[in-house]
Amino acid sequence: DGSVWKLLVGLIISLFCISAIVIYLVVNDPLFHEACYGILVALSIFSSYYTLFKHKLYHCVRLLTTGYSTTLVAFILWNVDNTFCPHVRSIRDKSGYLRPLFELHAWWHILCG
């Protein structure tokens, strides 16, 4: 039955999120947080494409691909900012009027919005 499957998937994702929150509060490692976010986005991508192709909504594939591509770029920028923060900050400090271009965390929010 489809409703049982939906309930089961929702329960698994909810348990994953709750477990990730609890583990992150204990471990307090940003890399763990980023990995969990990446896993949730990957699950979302798989689920979205599966739904589109199952219901033959091929006209929506380009829109979904564009959305997930910008999210992927944002995720990469977020990780670059977190991994190379001192270097990015140094570039930002030397860039003058171009400083906002090197605010990679801000680009993360813009591209995910």
Side-chain angles (χ1 to χ4, degrees), residues 12-111:
I12 290 170
I13 291 173
S14 296
L15 287 173
F16 174 80
C17 291
I18 291 167
S19 299
I21 290 169
V22 170
I23 292 169
Y24 179 70
L25 290 173
V26 172
V27 176
N28 200 20
D29 182 5
L31 187 59
F32 176 77
H33 176 261
E34 293 165 15
C36 288
Y37 177 80
I39 290 168
L40 285 174
V41 170
L43 288 172
S44 174
I45 290 170
F46 173 75
S47 173
S48 298
Y49 280 108
Y50 175 79
T51 301
L52 287 181
F53 286 107
K54 179 180 176 186
H55 296 289
K56 298 180 177 28
L57 300 171
Y58 304 117
H59 60 283
C60 297
V61 171
R62 182 184 293 171
L63 178 63
L64 187 65
T65 301
T66 302
Y68 281 128
S69 296
T70 57
T71 301
L72 177 63
V73 170
F75 185 70
I76 291 168
L77 290 175
W78 178 34
N79 283 287
V80 166
D81 196 34
N82 285 341
T83 304
F84 303 107
C85 187
H87 303 294
V88 173
R89 187 175 295 137
S90 174
I91 293 169
R92 210 173 22 231
D93 291 342
K94 296 173 186 173
S95 60
Y97 292 114
L98 298 177
R99 181 183 176 105
L101 295 177
F102 298 100
E103 295 284 351
L104 301 183
H105 188 85
W107 282 109
W108 152 257
H109 287 284
I110 290 167
L111 292 173

